[in-house]
Amino acid sequence: MGGTRGIIYKRHCKAAYAELKANAESEVTPKHWSGALKSSIASVSKYGGATAGYRTMLDVIIPASQVLEEAGRSSYVSAESLATVLEPGAMAAARAVMEQYMGSL
């Protein structure tokens, strides 16, 4: 990659890396990634001049950062349920696929 696109990608990656490194913990969570993407959005906007709706890479990165901000391991499920089911969403998806191919369970 060269030209402007290469520099913009570099700014994007460098800002995300710096944010992740600054908030380094034993485990990187979706919230950390959201913060990293927000930093990269700010950097790309600052140096590239684009914002949401300009039909640039930001039109993908901005919604991704919002989804990651809201992400959490089944935050809508009670702690009691989480103790007995490894991942409720994955179990529900597996059950739906099994029902589709094997009939009602």
Side-chain angles (χ1 to χ4, degrees):
M1 265 184 273
T4 304
R5 186 179 344 179
I7 294 168
I8 297 297
Y9 279 120
K10 180 180 178 181
R11 288 287 174 191
H12 162 69
C13 293
K14 192 172 184 175
Y17 172 77
E19 182 71 23
L20 288 172
K21 188 175 179 183
N23 296 312
E25 294 181 12
S26 60
E27 182 179 333
V28 177
T29 67
K31 300 255 190 233
H32 292 117
W33 278 109
S34 175
L37 288 180
K38 285 180 181 177
S39 290
S40 70
I41 290 164
S43 180
V44 169
S45 292
K46 177 181 177 183
Y47 292 102
T51 59
Y54 276 48
R55 298 179 71 184
T56 66
M57 64 194 285
L58 294 181
D59 289 333
V60 176
I61 298 171
I62 291 169
S65 75
Q66 292 167 345
V67 168
L68 287 170
E69 181 69 29
E70 299 167 5
R73 185 179 181 273
S74 305
S75 59
Y76 54 88
V77 179
S78 69
E80 296 81 31
S81 293
L82 286 174
T84 59
V85 178
L86 294 178
E87 182 61 60
M91 297 300 290
R95 183 178 183 91
V97 169
M98 288 174 59
E99 286 179 357
Q100 180 178 0
Y101 291 102
M102 300 171 75
S104 183
L105 294 177

